[in-house]
Amino acid sequence: MRIVFATDSDYGYIRDRDHHISESLIQVKIKGKEIYILRNQDESNIGWMRYGYFWDNTPFLNMIWVDEQYRDKGVGKQVVLFWEDQMKQKGFKLVMTSTLANEKAQHFYRKLGYRDAGCLLLENEPLEIILTKTLL
């Protein structure tokens, strides 16, 4: 697997699959190099990872998506570790993410060293767990 920054040619792939971001923000994220594309050996897309900044100063992993047939093979772990290294190279010492309390993703992040840092409860939504990790 290769991890590359999304380009304009990836816009349609992301737009058709990432329903948690407005279409107008996808181009902004692509230009800001805040979306990674996961490519298989044959260069086909198998997923993506998108991030932003909490309080405009702390890298926040917003979304990882890995196509179902590639899950449970270390792809998600690989892209998170890659992103953490990129953030460390940029001088950040802390990264954040979140997951719903009813999703198994919380266990995935904890295995990677993320610690519970709080939660958010929105009306008619499951509890959102905020997780942080200090980059060493």
Side-chain angles (χ1 to χ4, degrees):
M1 180 193 67
R2 283 189 332 121
I3 302 168
V4 298
F5 288 115
T7 65
D8 289 338
S9 64
D10 296 307
Y11 173 82
Y13 173 79
I14 297 163
R15 181 202 60 224
D16 293 346
R17 291 163 178 81
D18 190 347
H19 305 289
H20 300 280
I21 185 174
S22 68
E23 289 184 25
S24 62
L25 277 178
I26 295 171
Q27 283 293 359
V28 172
K29 293 281 198 188
I30 288 172
K31 288 186 185 346
K33 298 190 180 297
E34 294 178 0
I35 301 178
Y36 298 116
I37 295 291
L38 315 177
R39 297 206 204 281
N40 207 354
Q41 293 86 345
D42 65 2
E43 291 300 306
S44 61
N45 295 337
I46 62 170
W48 75 90
M49 193 218 85
R50 173 172 48 80
Y51 74 97
Y53 294 91
F54 190 82
W55 294 321
D56 294 327
N57 64 17
T58 303
F60 190 97
L61 194 160
N62 290 311
M63 168 68 84
I64 297 176
W65 178 265
V66 176
D67 289 344
E68 225 164 298
Q69 69 222 46
Y70 298 100
R71 291 181 189 170
D72 297 319
K73 297 180 182 189
V75 173
K77 177 181 178 179
Q78 192 175 344
V79 72
V80 170
L81 295 177
F82 178 85
W83 174 70
E84 289 174 0
D85 187 58
Q86 294 282 303
M87 297 304 102
K88 187 176 178 180
Q89 288 180 35
K90 289 182 175 190
F92 293 103
K93 301 199 180 328
L94 181 77
V95 291
M96 300 176 71
T97 193
S98 70
T99 183
L100 295 176
N102 65 352
E103 293 179 329
K104 69 178 185 174
Q106 62 181 296
H107 307 295
F108 166 77
Y109 290 115
R110 288 184 187 122
K111 284 181 192 174
L112 292 176
Y114 284 78
R115 302 281 182 237
D116 292 36
C119 59
L120 175 64
L121 186 57
L122 299 174
E123 190 174 339
N124 300 318
E125 293 288 332
L127 184 75
E128 184 86 13
I129 301 170
I130 310 295
L131 301 128
T132 61
K133 181 176 181 179
T134 301
L135 301 177
L136 304 173

